[in-house]
Amino acid sequence: MKAITFEEFGAAEVLQLADVPAPEVRPDDLLVRVHAAGVNRADLTHRRGGYGRPNFGDSTIMGLEIAGEVIETGGAVQGYKVGDRVMGVVGGGAYAEVARIDWRMAMPIPAALDYVHAAAIPEVFVTAHEALIHLGRLQRGDSVLIHAAAGGVGSAAVQLAYATGATVFATAEGSKLERVVQLGADHAIDYKTQDFAEVVAGKTDKRGVDVVIDFVGAPYFARNVASLANGGRLVQVGILGGGGDVSVGLEQILYRHLQIIGTVMKSRAQTEKHAMVRRFREHWLERFAGGASLEPVVDSTFALENAADAHRRMESAANVGKIILTMRERT
């Protein structure tokens, strides 16, 4: 099969199309003919050597989410058969014509969706649900501040927050604010020209928001804490702006009853990942049916052999929503 490989860590041009063996099916695996694969920032970190190893434990091929057709099932698989259309999160191996996926990490593709839009769902919407609903405990009538709201997880989080009935504050670059409003943001904030903490304070009469979903990290930490209402939850999903040490007065956490929660899917145990997928599927999957309220946001598509261009697109930060790799028949 064809897949994207790289022999050394580095810039996007290290990615090459190559012939590699198809993965072997284990008892809990579905073998899937991949039609589309999502590109994630974790892939950029993987390519640059940020994880210090060439694989995610399940494949030396990069890529974390797929949509395609089941072509073989392991002996312990339940609920799936050859020919089913599935999407889901894999432990590496998505940038390939064939991939294997633990059946408990897979979901049926709603009939109204094509493979490209299905591939835009698993990683970002599962992550958004975990941060917003499971950990952030967002409820109807609450308010939430979502950073990087035009990105993959951010655009999913805006939609889930809107569907929950929350008031949504969202930060993005100025040219992307209109799209963020279309997705459900009540207050769209240009992070380059506005101080989000001042906007939140002004719009909430200094009360603050119930939940903050942040992907940026240290540069936003103090203002995120300042933007929380009493009893508020800061859920840290990424550190795009940098990690390192941050400081907060313990009195603020104590007397304002604040919670600071971190979440990353990649480093979780497999059983925890199963539970994350199940929670999202039970809560939201039917909302992607025809005419329903949730929309996988696709920014652009690239053929598998142009994976380097897809990475450059993500590195430019110009995308709104997901960047997708597509497979095509080769002779």
Side-chain angles (χ1 to χ4, degrees):
M1 69 175 187
K2 297 291 187 182
I4 294 297
T5 64
F6 60 99
E7 295 184 358
E8 58 184 5
F9 298 126
E13 53 265 26
V14 303
L15 302 180
Q16 302 292 329
L17 188 70
D19 289 298
V20 301
E24 296 182 1
V25 177
R26 301 162 300 193
D28 286 317
D29 287 336
L30 304 173
L31 194 65
V32 177
R33 185 171 305 284
V34 179
H35 289 271
V39 177
N40 292 280
R41 289 203 170 270
D43 304 342
L44 308 186
T45 303
H46 183 187
R47 189 202 74 217
R48 296 166 182 156
Y51 298 123
R53 63 187 193 279
N55 63 68
F56 281 94
D58 200 38
S59 176
T60 57
I61 298 168
M62 69 169 55
L64 298 176
E65 61 188 335
I66 61 170
E69 179 184 356
V70 176
I71 57 176
E72 187 178 342
T73 62
V77 168
Q78 301 176 29
Y80 293 99
K81 64 184 186 302
V82 171
D84 284 348
R85 298 195 323 143
V86 297
M87 59 187 182
V89 178
V90 296
Y95 287 24
E97 293 178 318
V98 177
R100 64 186 179 191
I101 182 172
D102 183 322
W103 67 272
R104 292 155 296 194
M105 299 296 290
M107 296 173 280
I109 297 175
L113 295 182
D114 59 25
Y115 287 115
V116 167
H117 286 83
I121 292 175
E123 179 78 14
V124 295
F125 275 95
V126 170
T127 299
H129 172 81
E130 191 72 7
L132 269 179
I133 309 301
H134 183 65
L135 298 175
R137 305 190 306 282
L138 190 73
Q139 301 179 35
R140 178 174 297 278
D142 283 350
S143 56
V144 59
L145 170 62
I146 299 169
H147 292 299
V153 180
S155 61
V158 170
Q159 292 188 68
L160 297 188
Y162 175 79
T164 300
T167 298
V168 182
F169 293 80
T171 66
E173 190 269 328
S175 65
K176 303 175 182 180
L177 294 181
E178 182 178 354
R179 182 62 175 131
V180 170
V181 170
Q182 291 171 354
L183 293 173
D186 298 283
H187 307 288
I189 304 166
D190 183 344
Y191 72 90
K192 291 184 176 180
T193 63
Q194 297 174 279
D195 184 323
F196 66 80
E198 292 181 357
V199 174
V200 168
K203 296 291 185 181
T204 64
D205 196 24
K206 298 184 178 181
R207 174 188 179 273
V209 294
D210 300 288
V211 179
V212 174
I213 304 296
D214 182 46
F215 310 88
V216 177
Y220 280 12
F221 182 79
R223 284 183 290 160
N224 283 336
V225 171
S227 297
L228 287 171
N230 287 351
R233 286 82 66 194
L234 166 59
V235 185
Q236 197 71 48
V237 185
I239 47 174
L240 296 176
D245 296 334
V246 295
S247 62
V248 60
L250 288 177
E251 295 83 359
Q252 288 198 63
I253 296 176
L254 182 66
Y255 295 118
R256 294 173 57 203
H257 316 292
L258 304 181
Q259 297 180 47
I260 300 171
I261 307 164
T263 179
V264 176
M265 182 187 291
K266 184 179 71 66
S267 60
R268 287 178 181 264
Q270 195 67 13
T271 54
E272 294 174 336
K273 295 178 183 179
H274 297 164
M276 291 174 68
V277 171
R278 183 178 65 252
R279 286 191 284 267
F280 165 77
R281 176 176 176 173
E282 292 174 349
H283 201 108
W284 297 110
L285 188 59
E286 65 182 20
R287 304 283 286 272
F288 290 92
S293 58
L294 296 180
E295 168 194 1
V297 180
V298 174
D299 172 81
S300 51
T301 61
F302 294 82
L304 178 64
E305 56 262 38
N306 297 326
D309 291 332
H311 278 216
R312 293 185 188 102
R313 172 72 177 173
M314 178 164 282
E315 287 171 328
S316 76
N319 60 298
V320 176
K322 291 290 294 187
I323 299 167
I324 304 296
L325 297 177
T326 60
M327 316 298 158
R328 65 188 183 197
E329 294 298 326
R330 295 178 176 86
T331 57

